[in-house]
Amino acid sequence: MANPVFCCLQSCVDIIIEVAHPCIAQTHGESFLKAADFMVGSPTALADSKTEQKLREVAQRSGHTLYIPSGALWGGQDIQRMDEGGLLQALTVTMVKHPNSFRLGGHLGELAQRALQGRMVLYDGPVRGLCPLAPNNVNTMAAACLAAPSLGFDGVKGCLIADPDLPDYHMVEVEATGPGGFSAHTRRKNPAACGAVTGAATFAAFWSSLLVCQGHGGRVYLC
């Protein structure tokens, strides 16, 4: 049987969309970008520095766009403009969910289960170290890192909190700071079923991102 990936690339394709797992972009992203625009629905894939560098280079050479959906990242375009203007000094993304809404690896999975007894900080540090442990839960943080390349995955801070008192929504807080005491703080509550990895607004947000994916040239573009 022919490989479906290569069959796809041999046809006339405008955009390829990944919504499966970070390993898809890491394994096939280069081939996708050579053939068409590519939307990475699992941007935690780019926490791997070699993958990020490779896809940025291929996008520039091919003229195709590497699209990063904003997802639950409120104010992503503003963060991007601050970064491009050299004004972004620090960026923190805090995500709070019910413990059963996490799909975590390693010791974080054990901590999440203990958090059923009470609110607990699971991780607080650079986003790069968190992405491999929570590839399905922190795509919003990864999108923030790509919106702010001057800070990147090592400079953007991620805080992951499990709270058993949040049974029906997820919360994302973003704090950006700049020169002269400037700061902006947003807080987004997304209704979600208990145990759901993503919130109820995810589909609409992703669809809105997809609608703008046209004509942005060989670069990384937050949509």
Side-chain angles (χ1 to χ4, degrees):
M1 174 179 278
N3 187 318
V5 172
F6 295 108
C7 288
C8 170
L9 297 182
Q10 290 173 358
S11 61
C12 183
V13 177
D14 293 318
I15 185 168
I16 298 169
I17 304 164
E18 175 276 315
V19 289
H21 192 274
C23 69
I24 301 299
Q26 291 169 347
T27 303
H28 300 293
E30 184 175 4
S31 298
F32 290 163
L33 268 176
K34 288 178 179 178
D37 292 340
F38 179 34
M39 177 187 270
V40 185
S42 305
T44 52
L46 279 72
D48 176 76
S49 58
K50 292 182 179 179
T51 298
E52 180 184 5
Q53 180 180 357
K54 176 176 63 178
L55 296 187
R56 284 184 180 276
E57 291 174 352
V58 174
Q60 187 174 23
R61 290 199 307 268
S62 68
H64 292 134
T65 308
L66 179 64
Y67 286 106
I68 308 297
S70 299
L73 180 65
W74 200 258
Q77 300 289 344
D78 297 300
I79 292 169
Q80 189 167 255
R81 283 192 287 268
M82 282 186 68
D83 189 81
E84 290 173 349
L87 300 175
L88 186 63
Q89 295 180 339
L91 182 63
T92 300
V93 182
T94 301
M95 301 182 70
V96 189
K97 299 182 180 182
H98 189 278
N100 289 337
S101 293
F102 290 112
R103 303 293 182 268
L104 304 172
H107 69 285
L108 291 189
E110 299 174 5
L111 287 178
Q113 289 306 303
R114 287 165 50 190
L116 288 168
Q117 307 303 316
R119 182 181 173 99
M120 181 180 295
V121 176
L122 305 180
Y123 183 91
D124 190 5
V127 173
R128 190 182 302 280
L130 178 58
C131 288
L133 299 173
N136 299 313
N137 288 111
V138 296
N139 284 305
T140 298
M141 293 185 183
C145 296
L146 294 163
S150 69
L151 299 175
F153 284 88
D154 294 313
V156 176
K157 181 181 177 182
C159 182
L160 198 65
I161 299 174
D163 189 343
D165 293 329
L166 267 66
D168 54 5
Y169 65 90
H170 300 161
M171 188 165 64
V172 179
E173 296 188 47
V174 179
E175 184 173 9
T177 59
F182 171 87
S183 68
H185 185 201
T186 64
R187 184 182 186 191
R188 182 181 189 267
K189 293 174 67 174
N190 186 4
C194 187
V197 175
T198 59
T202 300
F203 177 81
F206 194 88
W207 179 247
S208 296
S209 293
L210 180 59
L211 292 178
V212 303
C213 292
Q214 185 176 6
H216 295 98
R219 57 174 172 149
V220 177
Y221 188 84
L222 186 73
C223 56

